[in-house]
Amino acid sequence: YNLEVKILAAKINLRFSTLSEKFDSLFPVNEFIILDGKYLVEKMRISDFRKEFKFCKKLYPELEFILKGPLLPYSFNKVNIIKNNTPY
């Protein structure tokens, strides 16, 4: 995986991780998934997390963002980001 992909994934991960109590992320996962992140978000910050997710989708339209969560009984939010045939 090239350095540009790793830097992009790290930038996006930083945006989500700053809104999280704890997080676990892997990037890049393979040639298609550049970030697989799990973020523990306090209930009072879920709205902020979702706003950041929507902002990132607009900021990086060439990527497909997938959000699952919050997952009960905890407020984990899983995010996958997939390349859409971009030359990274």
Side-chain angles (χ1 to χ4, degrees):
Y1 310 107
N2 70 35
L3 184 59
E4 187 178 344
V5 171
K6 291 179 182 179
I7 291 171
L8 176 61
K11 285 181 180 180
I12 295 169
N13 181 65
L14 181 63
R15 298 182 77 95
F16 294 135
S17 64
T18 58
L19 294 169
S20 306
E21 198 60 29
K22 294 182 181 180
F23 68 95
D24 180 29
S25 55
L26 177 63
F27 52 88
V29 176
N30 57 41
E31 65 181 290
F32 301 107
I33 301 174
I34 67 167
L35 173 64
D36 180 14
K38 295 156 194 85
Y39 305 91
L40 179 60
V41 180
E42 292 181 10
K43 288 183 182 183
M44 63 185 211
R45 299 200 75 187
I46 289 174
S47 177
D48 293 336
F49 188 89
R50 289 183 183 269
K51 285 178 187 173
E52 186 63 35
F53 180 83
K54 288 177 184 177
F55 177 78
C56 285
K57 283 180 75 168
K58 289 180 182 177
L59 189 61
Y60 303 104
E62 71 279 10
L63 300 175
E64 179 181 352
F65 287 71
I66 301 169
L67 175 64
K68 297 177 185 176
L71 304 174
L72 300 176
Y74 305 100
S75 295
F76 279 99
N77 292 274
K78 182 175 170 73
V79 175
N80 284 327
I81 302 172
I82 302 169
K83 291 192 328 185
N84 286 333
N85 298 322
T86 56
Y88 287 113

